[in-house]
């Protein structure tokens, strides 16, 4: 048996008010000013940078071990 | 254990496609750690001495002074900034420490009239050591507070501010080493009691499994514990994270933003001063160039350890991990006889990869 949650009208009104306040607050917030947001780089590009970087690291170590 | 089990069950309940996606995400997020683990396995295969106790203690000892510096810089990074003057501050404070604590019998003493250390090598000089340590920490804190003031008052980016102050501090260091009868020569001949205070065995003459544990290791652990308390259990720590997350929101919430920024930079300076005191004894012979480039290693360690340039994110254990991992990479490359030139390429690539991972984490979280 599911328990019925009884919400009084006052509590309900309070919740609605809080939601409104929250929504207004979200609207008032300025858009994110962070450099990462401004750059708007696709995740795939970042994946490429990470994998490419790791390839460079491994290749450098191998060159250092075997060629020098 | 139950939490791990729950997570495992949650993972098992996911559809195959979701599972693959999650594994891919986690692999990329932890790519550097996986790479370092593989590197360790390769080096151990090549030379098993790499994981001997003496080798591990050596890596930890080399990490210890860097850790104190990285703990300072990480505060600045949490504020979405950085501190390029850290290495130069270390250099200046190391030179001051060395000049104050030269052996009384050393012929080329910088201050020949400074006779505050007892002539006999047996007397304790703990008072002089602590006074010097406090002095260089105050010098560091003043210089750090100046950085903080410039950042907070003029709203300048810490990169530009500290780029300028590092040159000023380098100039001050050059002037300092020319004082007295030194004429710019390296400041050496340190009192053996000073070097013993920093590098001596924690257990005196007793060796732990045949290995000496340097005191500097204990000091850095103590600093890390204190910094953990400062970051997690004080109002200042909470304010620092709040300002780093969103300065405007912090200001609206009543956080003293100006004071917090100045205090974070002053605390960082204080830690650079302490690093200078410790590093001076470790290096033995100090010049104005001491500490040059250390800040880059410390910033790299912070990034590797997950202190995000987006601000407001960072953990003490992350900084510790970052410093130790960077030192492990350095040691591993030495064990593999990789030339120094290649080491620079590897370190640079690691920093860039760490930044890309940080950016990726930020964007995927959104």
């Amino acid at each position: 048996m599911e328990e019925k949650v009884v919400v009084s009208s006052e509590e309900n009104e309070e919740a609605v008010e809080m939601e409104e306040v929250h929504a207004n607050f979200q609207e008032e917030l300025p858009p994110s000013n962070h450099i990462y947001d401004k750059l708007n780089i696709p995740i795939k590009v970042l994946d490429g940078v990470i994998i490419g970087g790791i390839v460079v690291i491994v290749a450098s170590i191998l060159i250092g071990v075997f060629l020098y | 254990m139950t939490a791990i089990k729950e997570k495992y069950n949650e993972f098992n309940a996911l559809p195959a496609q979701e599972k693959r996606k999650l594994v891919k995400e986690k692999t990329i997020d932890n790519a550097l750690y996986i790479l370092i683990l593989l590197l360790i396995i390769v080096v151990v295969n090549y030379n098993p001495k790499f994981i001997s106790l003496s080798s591990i203690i050596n890596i930890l000892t080399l990490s210890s002074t860097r850790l104190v510096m990285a703990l300072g810089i990480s505060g600045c990074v949490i504020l979405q900034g950085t501190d390029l003057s850290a290495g130069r501050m270390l250099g200046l404070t190391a030179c001051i420490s060395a000049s104050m604590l030269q052996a009384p019998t050393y012929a080329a003493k910088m201050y020949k009239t400074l006779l505050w250390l007892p002539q006999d090598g047996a007397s304790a000089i703990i008072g002089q050591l602590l006074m010097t340590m406090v002095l260089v920490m105050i010098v560091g804190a003043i210089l750090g507070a100046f950085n903080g003031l410039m950042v907070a008052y003029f709203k300048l980016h810490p990169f530009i501010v500290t780029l300028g102050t590092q040159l000023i501090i380098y100039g001050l260091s050059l002037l300092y080493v020319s004082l007295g009868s030194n004429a710019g020569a390296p400041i050496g001949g340190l009192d053996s009691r000073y070097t013993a205070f920093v590098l001596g065995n924690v257990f005196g003459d007793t060796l732990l499994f045949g290995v000496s544990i340097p005191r500097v290791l204990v000091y850095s652990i103590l600093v890390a514990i204190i910094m953990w308390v400062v970051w997690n259990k004080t109002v200042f720590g909470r304010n620092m994270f709040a300002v780093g997350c969103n300065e405007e929101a912090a200001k609206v919430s009543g956080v003293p933003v100006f004071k917090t920024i100045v205090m974070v930079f002053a605390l960082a300076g204080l830690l650079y001063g302490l690093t200078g005191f410790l590093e001076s004894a470790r290096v033995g012979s100090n010049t104005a160039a001491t500490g040059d480039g250390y800040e880059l290693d410390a910033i790299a360690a912070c990034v590797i350890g997950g202190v995000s340039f987006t601000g407001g994110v960072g953990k003490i254990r992350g900084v510790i991990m970052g410093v130790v991992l960077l030192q492990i990479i350095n040691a591993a490359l030495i064990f593999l006889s990789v030339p120094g030139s290649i080491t620079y390429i590897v370190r640079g690539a690691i920093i860039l990869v760490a930044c890309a991972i940080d950016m990726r984490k930020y964007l995927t979280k959104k």
Side-chain angles (χ1 to χ4, degrees), chain B residues 202-285:
Chain B
V202 177
F203 304 107
D205 295 331
T206 317
L207 297 177
L208 191 75
F209 302 109
V211 179
S212 165
I213 313 287
R215 286 177 183 162
V216 66
L217 199 58
V218 179
Y219 301 150
S220 62
I221 292 168
L222 281 177
V223 173
I225 292 168
I226 292 168
M227 287 305 292
W228 184 87
V229 173
V230 171
W231 279 23
N232 299 295
K233 300 288 172 194
T234 65
V235 177
F236 164 70
R238 277 198 294 274
N239 288 350
M240 179 180 80
F241 280 100
V243 174
C245 240
N246 189 334
E247 199 179 313
E248 286 303 313
K251 198 181 275 179
V252 171
S253 312
V255 172
V257 174
F258 185 92
K259 191 177 147 195
T260 306
I261 295 174
V262 175
M263 276 177 71
V264 168
F265 276 89
L267 178 65
L270 187 130
L271 291 173
Y272 308 149
L274 178 60
T275 315
F277 175 80
L278 299 172
E279 189 68 2
S280 163
R282 199 184 70 78
V283 173
S285 175

